[in-house]
Amino acid sequence: MLKNVSVINGTGRPVQKNVNVLIKNGKISSISEKITDAQATIIDLSGKTIMPLFTNVHAHLGMSKGATVTAGNFTREHIAKELNRYLSYGVGTVVSMGTDKALIFSIREASHSGELSGAIVYTAGYGFRPPLGDRPQETAMEKLYRPATPEEAVRNVKELAALKPDMIKIWVDDMGGYTEKIKPEVYRAIIAEAHRQGIRVAAHLFYLEDAHLLLDAGVDIFAHSVRDKEVDDALIAKMKSKGTVYIPTLTRDAYEFFYGTDQPWINDAFFKASLEPGVYEMINDEEYKKRIVESSRYQSNKDAFNMALKNLKKLYDGGVLVALGTDSGATPVRAQGFSEHLELQLMVEAGLTPLQAITVATRNACQVLKLQDQGTLAPGKSADFVVLNADPAENIKNSWSIAAVWKRGVKVSDGPVAK
């Protein structure tokens, strides 16, 4: 039994101060001011706060190792390390979003069975991008599908569906003019066949115009923010009526320019512990910073980020289901574990309250994956939570103050930073 602890239950409701939490068989049995159980082991957590583990609905596994992104990084050993890192930061579940290799499916099974420790894995398998044409192959994306026609797209979806992915990822973005987008007739075929197979589709996107077209095609999840224009009321109405999920990935856009200047957390142990070897030295190199600031895209990246903040607030206030996703792990500078906490801070900067941001990362994200027994702390739910030394409802940065991580009623980590 956890005694005298404050509880953030993940629903957005106010913090329950100084209550007792009884845990039995890996689940929460009761939360009350007074609990009597003579056989319970008592752990006094006076002054501490617990909240549900985070669920990250947009991450990447096995891409970054050290300061590199290569196909050779996709190994069971390295991914196991990443999953344990995520869990040490209080991230209990991750969706690897469309850049995986065949190994991911056995890793997913080992993760769900408990054979593999760390965060629980879900996967979109092999994503869909436009044909390469005369462009070079993107690093670590060798397994993606690149259909040129609707007929080819349908065959690809059927092949992927046999592997039972948890969703399907499509890229509908010109990457700043670097590439073509998937043609509308092709992504419409992908979405229609995915739905026939009972699989939801998540779209990487950037432009408001594409957001409208994708909604009309039946897409289920926006895997990034709309970043070129302010979202309109028609988009909000369509998203609400269709139940479309919005994953803002604010940190993904922030990292495009944040490292050009000194950030207040750059030397914080909580950040540094999330980095692969060599990355801290890379991002502190003056030449690296100079290249970011002098990039032709520096101002446009800042503008895109600020638009993402504005659109998050407007969509959240409009009643669209917003869920946590960070794109962490796709590059060495998108730090796994830390990014999820920074994402909460950026949500608060966008205008959400700390409790609203936490709900996005817990209950809402679990709703996307239809995880009925996770995401909130209540009787009958899995005892998956992080113990904090300070209350993040008062200051969202207090989510960094991790004292312990519990999974299925068992303490599994003391957090990423030695106390």
Side-chain angles (χ1 to χ4, degrees), residues 60-86 103 107 116 275-277 329 336:
H60 293 273
L61 297 173
M63 292 192 74
S64 300
K65 184 178 182 181
T68 71
V69 176
T70 71
N73 294 340
F74 204 93
T75 67
R76 184 184 178 97
E77 179 183 23
H78 183 59
I79 291 172
K81 176 183 173 183
E82 292 180 315
L83 296 176
N84 281 309
R85 178 191 296 139
Y86 272 121
L103 180 63
I107 287 176
L116 196 62
L275 299 176
E276 281 285 302
Q336 294 168 316

Tab-separated table of all heavy atoms in Angstrom, residues 60-86 103 107 116 275-277 329 336:
chain	number	residue	atom	x	y	z
A	60	HIS	N	9.954	6.170	-32.738
A	60	HIS	CA	10.699	5.331	-33.677
A	60	HIS	C	11.740	4.521	-32.918
A	60	HIS	O	12.440	5.063	-32.053
A	60	HIS	CB	11.373	6.175	-34.763
A	60	HIS	CG	10.409	6.846	-35.676
A	60	HIS	ND1	9.919	6.229	-36.805
A	60	HIS	CD2	9.822	8.065	-35.613
A	60	HIS	CE1	9.069	7.055	-37.411
A	60	HIS	NE2	8.994	8.172	-36.702
A	61	LEU	N	11.813	3.253	-33.239
A	61	LEU	CA	12.758	2.356	-32.590
A	61	LEU	C	13.827	1.900	-33.575
A	61	LEU	O	13.561	1.733	-34.766
A	61	LEU	CB	12.030	1.130	-32.029
A	61	LEU	CG	11.004	1.394	-30.928
A	61	LEU	CD1	10.238	0.112	-30.589
A	61	LEU	CD2	11.660	1.963	-29.670
A	62	GLY	N	15.028	1.687	-33.051
A	62	GLY	CA	16.087	1.070	-33.842
A	62	GLY	C	16.618	1.908	-34.986
A	62	GLY	O	17.250	1.374	-35.890
A	63	MET	N	16.390	3.199	-34.965
A	63	MET	CA	16.913	4.064	-36.032
A	63	MET	C	18.231	4.725	-35.620
A	63	MET	O	19.204	4.724	-36.355
A	63	MET	CB	15.885	5.130	-36.417
A	63	MET	CG	14.648	4.577	-37.105
A	63	MET	SD	13.624	5.876	-37.838
A	63	MET	CE	14.591	6.344	-39.278
A	64	SER	N	18.236	5.332	-34.414
A	64	SER	CA	19.393	6.105	-33.966
A	64	SER	C	20.221	5.309	-32.965
A	64	SER	O	19.681	4.711	-32.037
A	64	SER	CB	18.937	7.412	-33.311
A	64	SER	OG	18.197	8.191	-34.212
A	65	LYS	N	21.523	5.342	-33.164
A	65	LYS	CA	22.456	4.739	-32.219
A	65	LYS	C	23.718	5.578	-32.235
A	65	LYS	O	24.282	5.831	-33.306
A	65	LYS	CB	22.784	3.294	-32.604
A	65	LYS	CG	23.685	2.577	-31.606
A	65	LYS	CD	23.914	1.135	-32.037
A	65	LYS	CE	24.772	0.387	-31.015
A	65	LYS	NZ	25.020	-1.013	-31.442
A	66	GLY	N	24.153	6.021	-31.042
A	66	GLY	CA	25.217	7.002	-31.027
A	66	GLY	C	24.720	8.231	-31.772
A	66	GLY	O	23.583	8.668	-31.602
A	67	ALA	N	25.545	8.790	-32.638
A	67	ALA	CA	25.156	9.945	-33.442
A	67	ALA	C	24.796	9.535	-34.866
A	67	ALA	O	24.787	10.351	-35.774
A	67	ALA	CB	26.282	10.977	-33.458
A	68	THR	N	24.466	8.250	-35.067
A	68	THR	CA	24.203	7.729	-36.405
A	68	THR	C	22.746	7.338	-36.600
A	68	THR	O	22.032	7.019	-35.643
A	68	THR	CB	25.063	6.488	-36.698
A	68	THR	OG1	24.577	5.377	-35.913
A	68	THR	CG2	26.521	6.739	-36.360
A	69	VAL	N	22.323	7.348	-37.849
A	69	VAL	CA	21.052	6.750	-38.262
A	69	VAL	C	21.381	5.800	-39.408
A	69	VAL	O	21.725	6.234	-40.513
A	69	VAL	CB	20.039	7.813	-38.727
A	69	VAL	CG1	18.762	7.145	-39.237
A	69	VAL	CG2	19.706	8.770	-37.595
A	70	THR	N	21.300	4.503	-39.128
A	70	THR	CA	21.591	3.503	-40.155
A	70	THR	C	20.672	2.308	-39.975
A	70	THR	O	20.132	2.070	-38.887
A	70	THR	CB	23.053	3.001	-40.071
A	70	THR	OG1	23.198	2.183	-38.897
A	70	THR	CG2	24.046	4.143	-40.002
A	71	ALA	N	20.521	1.525	-41.042
A	71	ALA	CA	19.706	0.313	-40.972
A	71	ALA	C	20.297	-0.683	-39.982
A	71	ALA	O	19.562	-1.456	-39.357
A	71	ALA	CB	19.600	-0.314	-42.360
A	72	GLY	N	21.612	-0.666	-39.811
A	72	GLY	CA	22.268	-1.597	-38.897
A	72	GLY	C	21.963	-1.359	-37.434
A	72	GLY	O	22.269	-2.216	-36.590
A	73	ASN	N	21.339	-0.236	-37.116
A	73	ASN	CA	20.974	0.045	-35.722
A	73	ASN	C	19.751	-0.753	-35.274
A	73	ASN	O	19.449	-0.813	-34.076
A	73	ASN	CB	20.682	1.536	-35.541
A	73	ASN	CG	21.910	2.402	-35.750
A	73	ASN	OD1	23.033	1.925	-35.666
A	73	ASN	ND2	21.691	3.680	-36.036
A	74	PHE	N	19.039	-1.348	-36.242
A	74	PHE	CA	17.788	-2.038	-35.910
A	74	PHE	C	18.097	-3.461	-35.455
A	74	PHE	O	17.979	-4.434	-36.214
A	74	PHE	CB	16.851	-2.057	-37.119
A	74	PHE	CG	15.405	-2.199	-36.749
A	74	PHE	CD1	14.611	-1.085	-36.576
A	74	PHE	CD2	14.837	-3.449	-36.538
A	74	PHE	CE1	13.275	-1.211	-36.229
A	74	PHE	CE2	13.512	-3.596	-36.189
A	74	PHE	CZ	12.720	-2.468	-36.036
A	75	THR	N	18.504	-3.591	-34.190
A	75	THR	CA	18.799	-4.891	-33.599
A	75	THR	C	17.980	-5.068	-32.330
A	75	THR	O	17.577	-4.087	-31.696
A	75	THR	CB	20.295	-5.017	-33.237
A	75	THR	OG1	20.598	-4.095	-32.169
A	75	THR	CG2	21.179	-4.720	-34.450
A	76	ARG	N	17.767	-6.315	-31.961
A	76	ARG	CA	17.002	-6.596	-30.739
A	76	ARG	C	17.707	-6.002	-29.522
A	76	ARG	O	17.069	-5.418	-28.639
A	76	ARG	CB	16.828	-8.112	-30.572
A	76	ARG	CG	15.958	-8.505	-29.381
A	76	ARG	CD	15.901	-10.020	-29.227
A	76	ARG	NE	15.110	-10.436	-28.072
A	76	ARG	CZ	13.848	-10.799	-28.116
A	76	ARG	NH1	13.207	-10.816	-29.271
A	76	ARG	NH2	13.210	-11.161	-27.010
A	77	GLU	N	19.014	-6.124	-29.475
A	77	GLU	CA	19.774	-5.620	-28.332
A	77	GLU	C	19.616	-4.106	-28.182
A	77	GLU	O	19.384	-3.599	-27.081
A	77	GLU	CB	21.253	-5.970	-28.499
A	77	GLU	CG	22.137	-5.463	-27.376
A	77	GLU	CD	23.606	-5.766	-27.615
A	77	GLU	OE1	23.999	-5.952	-28.793
A	77	GLU	OE2	24.365	-5.811	-26.644
A	78	HIS	N	19.733	-3.395	-29.291
A	78	HIS	CA	19.643	-1.937	-29.202
A	78	HIS	C	18.219	-1.485	-28.886
A	78	HIS	O	18.011	-0.561	-28.088
A	78	HIS	CB	20.122	-1.294	-30.504
A	78	HIS	CG	20.126	0.198	-30.443
A	78	HIS	ND1	20.868	0.909	-29.518
A	78	HIS	CD2	19.460	1.135	-31.183
A	78	HIS	CE1	20.673	2.198	-29.690
A	78	HIS	NE2	19.817	2.359	-30.684
A	79	ILE	N	17.242	-2.116	-29.495
A	79	ILE	CA	15.856	-1.742	-29.216
A	79	ILE	C	15.497	-2.044	-27.769
A	79	ILE	O	14.777	-1.267	-27.118
A	79	ILE	CB	14.906	-2.449	-30.206
A	79	ILE	CG1	15.117	-1.863	-31.612
A	79	ILE	CG2	13.446	-2.301	-29.774
A	79	ILE	CD1	14.381	-2.590	-32.708
A	80	ALA	N	16.002	-3.146	-27.223
A	80	ALA	CA	15.772	-3.456	-25.806
A	80	ALA	C	16.318	-2.331	-24.921
A	80	ALA	O	15.686	-1.934	-23.928
A	80	ALA	CB	16.421	-4.781	-25.444
A	81	LYS	N	17.462	-1.817	-25.280
A	81	LYS	CA	18.050	-0.692	-24.546
A	81	LYS	C	17.151	0.542	-24.639
A	81	LYS	O	16.927	1.244	-23.638
A	81	LYS	CB	19.438	-0.378	-25.118
A	81	LYS	CG	20.117	0.829	-24.500
A	81	LYS	CD	21.450	1.092	-25.205
A	81	LYS	CE	22.074	2.397	-24.736
A	81	LYS	NZ	23.334	2.691	-25.476
A	82	GLU	N	16.628	0.809	-25.809
A	82	GLU	CA	15.744	1.961	-25.987
A	82	GLU	C	14.466	1.810	-25.167
A	82	GLU	O	13.984	2.776	-24.554
A	82	GLU	CB	15.395	2.119	-27.458
A	82	GLU	CG	16.572	2.527	-28.335
A	82	GLU	CD	16.198	2.686	-29.789
A	82	GLU	OE1	15.471	1.805	-30.319
A	82	GLU	OE2	16.616	3.677	-30.395
A	83	LEU	N	13.901	0.609	-25.147
A	83	LEU	CA	12.661	0.381	-24.401
A	83	LEU	C	12.864	0.572	-22.910
A	83	LEU	O	11.996	1.120	-22.210
A	83	LEU	CB	12.121	-1.017	-24.698
A	83	LEU	CG	11.704	-1.259	-26.150
A	83	LEU	CD1	11.287	-2.711	-26.349
A	83	LEU	CD2	10.585	-0.319	-26.566
A	84	ASN	N	13.997	0.148	-22.402
A	84	ASN	CA	14.293	0.358	-20.986
A	84	ASN	C	14.536	1.834	-20.688
A	84	ASN	O	14.181	2.327	-19.610
A	84	ASN	CB	15.490	-0.491	-20.566
A	84	ASN	CG	15.104	-1.941	-20.332
A	84	ASN	OD1	14.167	-2.238	-19.613
A	84	ASN	ND2	15.819	-2.864	-20.962
A	85	ARG	N	15.136	2.539	-21.642
A	85	ARG	CA	15.328	3.986	-21.454
A	85	ARG	C	13.976	4.681	-21.372
A	85	ARG	O	13.731	5.499	-20.487
A	85	ARG	CB	16.151	4.556	-22.598
A	85	ARG	CG	16.369	6.073	-22.514
A	85	ARG	CD	16.967	6.627	-23.796
A	85	ARG	NE	18.289	6.085	-24.029
A	85	ARG	CZ	18.744	5.696	-25.214
A	85	ARG	NH1	17.965	5.777	-26.284
A	85	ARG	NH2	19.962	5.232	-25.353
A	86	TYR	N	13.092	4.354	-22.319
A	86	TYR	CA	11.755	4.954	-22.283
A	86	TYR	C	11.091	4.714	-20.925
A	86	TYR	O	10.551	5.645	-20.306
A	86	TYR	CB	10.875	4.362	-23.376
A	86	TYR	CG	10.950	5.040	-24.719
A	86	TYR	CD1	11.349	4.328	-25.859
A	86	TYR	CD2	10.587	6.375	-24.877
A	86	TYR	CE1	11.393	4.941	-27.111
A	86	TYR	CE2	10.627	6.988	-26.124
A	86	TYR	CZ	11.042	6.269	-27.235
A	86	TYR	OH	11.079	6.877	-28.468
A	103	LEU	N	12.065	-7.642	-37.811
A	103	LEU	CA	12.323	-8.010	-36.422
A	103	LEU	C	11.309	-7.418	-35.452
A	103	LEU	O	11.089	-7.952	-34.366
A	103	LEU	CB	13.742	-7.545	-36.052
A	103	LEU	CG	14.260	-7.806	-34.636
A	103	LEU	CD1	14.339	-9.302	-34.364
A	103	LEU	CD2	15.635	-7.152	-34.456
A	107	ILE	N	9.711	-8.685	-31.621
A	107	ILE	CA	9.959	-7.804	-30.481
A	107	ILE	C	8.644	-7.391	-29.846
A	107	ILE	O	8.508	-7.364	-28.621
A	107	ILE	CB	10.778	-6.574	-30.926
A	107	ILE	CG1	12.229	-6.974	-31.190
A	107	ILE	CG2	10.710	-5.458	-29.885
A	107	ILE	CD1	13.096	-5.861	-31.735
A	116	LEU	N	10.411	-9.410	-22.789
A	116	LEU	CA	11.279	-8.252	-22.992
A	116	LEU	C	10.840	-7.155	-22.036
A	116	LEU	O	9.655	-6.807	-21.986
A	116	LEU	CB	11.154	-7.770	-24.444
A	116	LEU	CG	12.221	-6.832	-24.986
A	116	LEU	CD1	13.593	-7.508	-24.982
A	116	LEU	CD2	11.858	-6.393	-26.401
A	275	LEU	N	20.441	10.753	-23.851
A	275	LEU	CA	21.186	10.821	-25.105
A	275	LEU	C	22.046	9.594	-25.337
A	275	LEU	O	22.618	9.025	-24.399
A	275	LEU	CB	22.076	12.061	-25.114
A	275	LEU	CG	21.367	13.409	-24.998
A	275	LEU	CD1	22.395	14.525	-24.916
A	275	LEU	CD2	20.413	13.634	-26.165
A	276	GLU	N	22.151	9.235	-26.598
A	276	GLU	CA	23.101	8.216	-27.006
A	276	GLU	C	24.530	8.780	-26.915
A	276	GLU	O	24.726	9.999	-26.966
A	276	GLU	CB	22.817	7.787	-28.445
A	276	GLU	CG	21.665	6.808	-28.593
A	276	GLU	CD	22.054	5.413	-28.150
A	276	GLU	OE1	23.012	4.849	-28.702
A	276	GLU	OE2	21.397	4.893	-27.238
A	277	PRO	N	25.540	7.908	-26.787
A	277	PRO	CA	26.923	8.382	-26.706
A	277	PRO	C	27.303	9.264	-27.902
A	277	PRO	O	27.001	8.940	-29.044
A	277	PRO	CB	27.745	7.084	-26.699
A	277	PRO	CG	26.817	6.062	-26.130
A	277	PRO	CD	25.457	6.443	-26.629
A	329	GLY	N	13.435	9.322	-31.294
A	329	GLY	CA	14.164	8.172	-31.810
A	329	GLY	C	14.408	8.198	-33.304
A	329	GLY	O	15.221	7.425	-33.798
A	336	GLN	N	14.959	10.059	-26.708
A	336	GLN	CA	13.911	9.164	-26.213
A	336	GLN	C	13.794	9.276	-24.686
A	336	GLN	O	14.757	9.107	-23.956
A	336	GLN	CB	14.240	7.722	-26.602
A	336	GLN	CG	14.199	7.482	-28.101
A	336	GLN	CD	14.799	6.150	-28.494
A	336	GLN	OE1	15.845	5.772	-27.988
A	336	GLN	NE2	14.174	5.446	-29.414
